[in-house]
Amino acid sequence: MPKRFASVRSTVLPLLLVCTLPAQVDWVQALAASPPGRQSPASAFDFSRQRLVLFGGSSSSGQPLNDTWEWDGLTWSHKSPTQSPSLRTGHAMAFDLVRGTVLLFGGEDIFGTALADLWEWDGVTWTQISTPVAPPGRHSHGMTMDPSRVRVLVFGGEAAGIALADTWEWDGTQWLQRTPATSPPARSQLSMSYDPVTGAVLMFGGLVNNDTWAWNGTTWSQLLPASSPPARTWHTLTTDYSRGRVVLFGGADAAWVPFADTWEWDGLDWVQVAVGTGPPGRYGQAMAFDGVRQQTIVFGGSSFFVLLADTWAWDGVTWSLAAGAIAPSARSHTQMAHQVGNGRIVLFGGDDGGTVLGDTWEWNGSSWSQRSPAVVPPDRWWSAMAYDRARGRTVMYGGNSNIGQWWSDTWEWDGNTWLLRPAAVNPGQRYGHAMAFDVARGRTVLFGGQSAPGMSSDTWEWDGNTWSLHNPAVRPSPRFGVGLCYDERRQRVVLFGGLDQVGFRADTWEWDGATWTLRTPAVSPPARYETAMAYDASRERCVLVAGHGGASAMNDVWEFDGAAWSQRTTATNPTARSEHAVAFDVERGRLLMFGGTFSFGSHTSQTWTYGPTQPATFLSFGTGCAGTAGTAQLTTAPNSLPWLGGTFSMQVDSMPGLSLGLGCLGLSRSLWQGFALPLNLAAAGMPGCFLRVSPDVTFVLAGSGGAATWTLNIPDVPAFLGVPLFAQVAAIDPPSNGLGAVLSNAVELHLGGL
């Protein structure tokens, strides 16, 4: 605080008993995750529960999946049933009108075995249905609900490399093999759906065909429409019951070039629909009609062997990205930084489990939006990022590419575009390093990482033009995957953990711009790496979140106030993870966490925020009345907020004369001793002045140079959490009016829990 401020220290409501405050922080899931990118999943609409259900498929590494997701029209939710079908891809799903559940049949497992099991999903768990007779195992088959005959129809598919041409029906109790006089030629990778105009089941394509067939419950007949979509495979069909159309989207030709066209069957012919902006071309996607919101929903698929994780909705006129699903795809090793100037958090790149990404996203406090700058850094994962507050730029350095390229480039994001900053001297090729911006010294600090020679213990600093290497005699051991943040209050860069040649570390270090100092707090978080840490400027502490401890990922939260580490207990706990990213959202006073890898290896696109359940707030209201030195202004001292158990400081400027006054603190801004507030004090000799708060307690403020500081010691009392207090200052100013005093503006405080 400037020396010209003299302070008066007071305790709020000192007669109340002081007791320990329980944890008052929690996680809030800001956006649910969407399924990770995949090819050949299956989906069906659950008419009983009005949810679209998605299951399985194959990941970017080719690993089959067995996760269950539901789409409610706004968000995806990941389900955790007590049992599930085994890992698989190329299976099929349909709604069973008799049982009122979603059915899943067949698929291919991790060993390439064609499966013949039948499962049903009731919204809580999967249950296997055993029958004495069942279709032979298969994958890449067609399966759809036939509401006219209250059956589920299955045709074709593939087993052991042999295409099939058999027709089966499920009546809710048993499988019935049908032997029609005429059948389509054997095929796999086809798609079927119900035609509400003719009451038949429609089948199109497969194995790069473009023939159209109809099943009337007795036999198959080939249809000869005037026009047809080009031959394709791995496309999808679904029924738009609101418009009486069968919708076809996507697929691939014989050269695996993906289609992005949309066709509709009107009962007589195929018609290509002219659309503006639609989903990028793909094959092996999931598609189903949402009967409640009357939209065709497409998720995922593959495009030139790159897996997709986007959700699109077709309403019969336009395609649009589903509003609740616009977010970065599931990923790990991404980086984020908060841009103080525009109130957004920027995210770049990462790894989705097989593909390295190079997309740019921004979070505005409630939603993600993808940016499309003209210049984009090459794809990368496990780079490092920090926001340079002195120059208003987000700095990103290094990382690793999809082909094993280790980057040594410096990029800056100005809020609109990426700028490559050439630097002849630089930290060299590396990934797994960490960066933080030293506000006091105006430098971006980089530490460690994995470089070509091995693990590094280098400390580099970027001033906006050049990189400089520091070689302190004492430093952390060579390591990567550390947590790093800048403690603004103490002007230190704080480092925790990481992985070195010995193993996982649990040490705490601080960098002051010249030397590293090992801190030895009595309690420390467990050892870990692939963790993330950010500085909570509102509560003035570094927050360490999750990480990998060797045996598994963690979901704990620790806070370091410069003297001690303390573990925080929250009512809601995100799934344990590592390789995630965190950044502190200054405008909203909460930590943002995105993505990461769960213990079982899958990636996530969840967006979470962490912070006080009841934040401390300071709000000015009303105006003061002018005196001989102007109008006194009551403001909060820099970085000070009214937290329980803490010290809160306000300052009043433009005080007249001897800088003397009375601080008025009260519990109301509407009533005082029967008088309505604000109260006009003209009759008391103070024209133009209004009492805006109840002066239940008053404090003498003595300052100098026209300013004074008012400091309150706030008891650590749980009952005070969220309590509003109101304050106003009366400054002594004999020449100003008959009463010899003027009033400042008023402020409303809400006591928050740390």
Side-chain angles (χ1 to χ4, degrees):
M1 197 64 61
K3 292 183 179 179
R4 66 191 182 93
F5 293 138
S7 66
V8 173
R9 193 173 294 270
S10 55
T11 299
V12 179
L13 305 180
L15 296 180
L16 290 178
L17 178 66
V18 175
C19 60
T20 301
L21 179 70
Q24 296 294 340
V25 291
D26 205 359
W27 287 100
V28 175
Q29 190 166 3
L31 282 181
S34 62
R38 64 192 64 202
Q39 177 181 322
S40 303
S43 64
F45 186 71
D46 186 330
F47 286 88
S48 296
R49 302 175 47 256
Q50 301 183 347
R51 297 286 190 275
L52 189 148
V53 184
L54 177 107
F55 181 87
S58 60
S59 68
S60 54
S61 62
Q63 171 73 32
L65 304 167
N66 72 334
D67 49 347
T68 303
W69 295 79
E70 289 190 342
W71 171 256
D72 65 2
L74 292 174
T75 60
W76 287 101
S77 58
H78 186 202
K79 300 302 180 180
S80 301
T82 54
Q83 66 173 349
S84 295
S86 58
L87 299 165
R88 66 188 65 202
T89 183
H91 48 291
M93 290 165 53
F95 184 72
D96 184 339
L97 286 166
V98 176
R99 304 173 73 92
T101 58
V102 168
L103 293 182
L104 180 152
F105 173 72
E108 183 179 24
D109 68 12
I110 190 172
F111 303 107
T113 302
L115 303 170
D117 48 349
L118 178 67
W119 293 77
E120 67 175 350
W121 169 254
D122 62 5
V124 177
T125 192
W126 287 98
T127 303
Q128 187 170 1
I129 304 172
S130 297
T131 60
V133 177
R138 67 195 63 207
H139 63 87
S140 311
H141 48 289
M143 180 172 172
T144 190
M145 176 181 73
D146 183 345
S148 292
R149 285 158 286 278
V150 195
R151 302 282 176 91
V152 171
L153 181 70
V154 168
F155 177 83
E158 182 180 327
I162 299 174
L164 304 172
D166 49 347
T167 302
W168 292 79
E169 288 185 333
W170 170 258
D171 67 3
T173 304
Q174 60 183 335
W175 283 108
L176 305 169
Q177 184 171 10
R178 306 304 302 273
T179 54
T182 303
S183 288
R187 68 190 64 199
S188 64
Q189 303 163 11
L190 64 145
S191 190
M192 302 192 306
S193 198
Y194 178 71
D195 179 358
V197 176
T198 63
V201 169
L202 194 75
M203 183 182 74
F204 178 83
L207 289 179
V208 200
N209 291 304
N210 74 332
D211 49 350
T212 303
W213 292 77
W215 169 257
N216 64 7
T218 302
T219 190
W220 287 98
S221 57
Q222 186 172 3
L223 306 180
L224 300 172
S227 60
S228 291
R232 66 191 65 200
T233 185
W234 286 122
H235 52 289
T236 44
L237 297 181
T238 194
T239 304
D240 184 332
Y241 287 96
S242 66
R243 298 185 304 114
R245 297 288 187 272
V246 176
V247 181
L248 181 153
F249 174 76
D253 65 13
W256 291 104
V257 175
F259 288 100
D261 49 351
T262 302
W263 292 76
E264 291 189 342
W265 174 261
D266 61 7
L268 294 173
D269 202 1
W270 286 105
V271 177
Q272 184 172 5
V273 183
V275 298
T277 301
R282 67 193 65 202
Y283 49 86
Q285 66 275 2
M287 187 164 83
F289 182 70
D290 183 331
V292 174
R293 285 149 288 272
Q294 299 185 355
Q295 295 176 324
T296 292
I297 303 297
V298 166
F299 174 80
S302 183
S303 178
F304 293 106
F305 308 101
V306 174
L307 298 194
L308 304 170
D310 47 352
T311 303
W312 289 80
W314 167 251
D315 62 6
V317 178
T318 59
W319 282 102
S320 59
L321 274 169
I326 300 175
S329 59
R331 65 190 68 194
S332 64
H333 295 119
T334 189
Q335 296 297 322
M336 297 194 307
H338 181 264
Q339 307 161 96
V340 178
N342 65 10
R344 295 173 180 265
I345 289 175
V346 62
L347 176 151
F348 183 83
D351 170 33
D352 70 1
T355 302
V356 176
L357 306 168
D359 45 353
T360 304
W361 293 79
E362 286 187 327
W363 172 258
N364 66 4
S366 60
S367 63
W368 288 100
S369 59
Q370 186 170 5
R371 302 297 303 274
S372 300
V375 178
V376 180
D379 300 350
R380 67 193 63 207
W381 59 279
W382 219 344
S383 58
M385 188 182 286
Y387 181 71
D388 183 332
R389 284 166 54 179
R391 297 182 308 113
R393 301 280 182 87
T394 295
V395 182
M396 181 175 69
Y397 184 84
N400 203 340
S401 78
N402 203 33
I403 57 174
Q405 168 70 50
W406 294 18
W407 297 111
S408 59
D409 47 354
T410 305
W411 290 83
E412 292 185 342
W413 171 254
D414 65 3
N416 293 301
T417 191
W418 285 101
L419 307 168
L420 177 62
R421 301 299 308 279
V425 177
N426 59 62
Q429 296 176 333
R430 68 182 64 206
Y431 67 91
H433 48 292
M435 298 198 315
F437 183 69
D438 185 326
V439 177
R441 300 174 51 251
R443 300 287 188 274
T444 297
V445 179
L446 180 152
F447 175 81
Q450 183 75 33
S451 62
M455 295 184 191
S456 171
S457 62
D458 291 351
T459 302
W460 290 80
E461 292 188 341
W462 169 255
D463 65 3
N465 292 299
T466 59
W467 285 100
S468 57
L469 174 64
H470 294 258
N471 288 302
V474 178
R475 68 182 80 176
S477 59
R479 64 186 71 186
F480 67 98
V482 305
L484 199 73
C485 81
Y486 177 72
D487 185 328
E488 295 180 24
R489 178 174 60 86
R490 299 184 307 112
Q491 299 182 356
R492 296 287 187 274
V493 172
V494 180
L495 178 151
F496 180 83
L499 176 66
D500 66 8
Q501 293 180 341
V502 175
F504 302 107
R505 302 306 301 248
D507 46 353
T508 303
W509 291 80
E510 291 185 344
W511 169 254
D512 64 3
T515 60
W516 282 102
T517 302
L518 177 63
R519 300 294 304 275
T520 56
V523 177
S524 289
R528 69 193 65 202
Y529 86 122
E530 293 181 330
T531 186
M533 188 159 64
Y535 183 70
D536 184 330
S538 298
R539 298 184 303 130
E540 299 183 321
R541 58 197 62 200
C542 289
V543 182
L544 178 77
V545 180
H548 204 288
S552 62
M554 303 172 171
N555 68 344
D556 53 348
V557 179
W558 291 76
E559 296 180 351
F560 184 64
D561 62 5
W565 283 101
S566 59
Q567 185 174 4
R568 303 309 302 267
T569 301
T570 55
T572 303
N573 293 295
T575 305
R577 71 194 63 205
S578 61
E579 305 169 359
H580 50 294
V582 300
F584 184 69
D585 188 332
V586 175
E587 281 75 13
R588 284 153 283 272
R590 294 184 67 84
L591 194 79
L592 184 78
M593 178 175 73
F594 178 82
T597 305
F598 297 146
S599 293
F600 45 86
S602 67
H603 293 68
T604 179
S605 59
Q606 293 172 346
T607 302
W608 290 81
T609 67
Y610 168 87
T613 56
Q614 180 65 62
T617 61
F618 177 97
L619 177 67
S620 175
F621 67 94
T623 57
C625 49
T628 57
T631 303
Q633 291 294 322
L634 182 61
T635 60
T636 180
N639 299 318
S640 185
L641 286 171
W643 298 105
L644 297 190
T647 300
F648 171 61
S649 293
M650 294 177 284
Q651 59 192 47
V652 56
D653 293 296
S654 300
M655 295 183 72
L658 299 176
S659 304
L660 293 174
L662 290 177
C664 303
L665 190 68
L667 297 173
S668 177
R669 58 178 288 180
S670 60
L671 191 67
W672 174 60
Q673 294 188 355
F675 294 99
L677 298 176
L679 179 62
N680 191 334
L681 299 180
M686 298 174 65
C689 298
F690 290 83
L691 180 66
R692 301 184 183 277
V693 308
S694 58
D696 301 320
V697 185
T698 59
F699 307 92
V700 176
L701 305 180
S704 63
T709 299
W710 182 5
T711 301
L712 302 172
N713 293 324
I714 303 177
D716 199 359
V717 179
F720 287 1
L721 187 64
V723 168
L725 296 175
F726 307 95
Q728 192 174 15
V729 171
I732 306 303
D733 189 14
S736 64
N737 53 45
L739 196 60
V742 291
L743 292 173
S744 72
N745 59 303
V747 297
E748 179 175 342
L749 320 173
H750 285 260
L751 305 184
L754 287 168

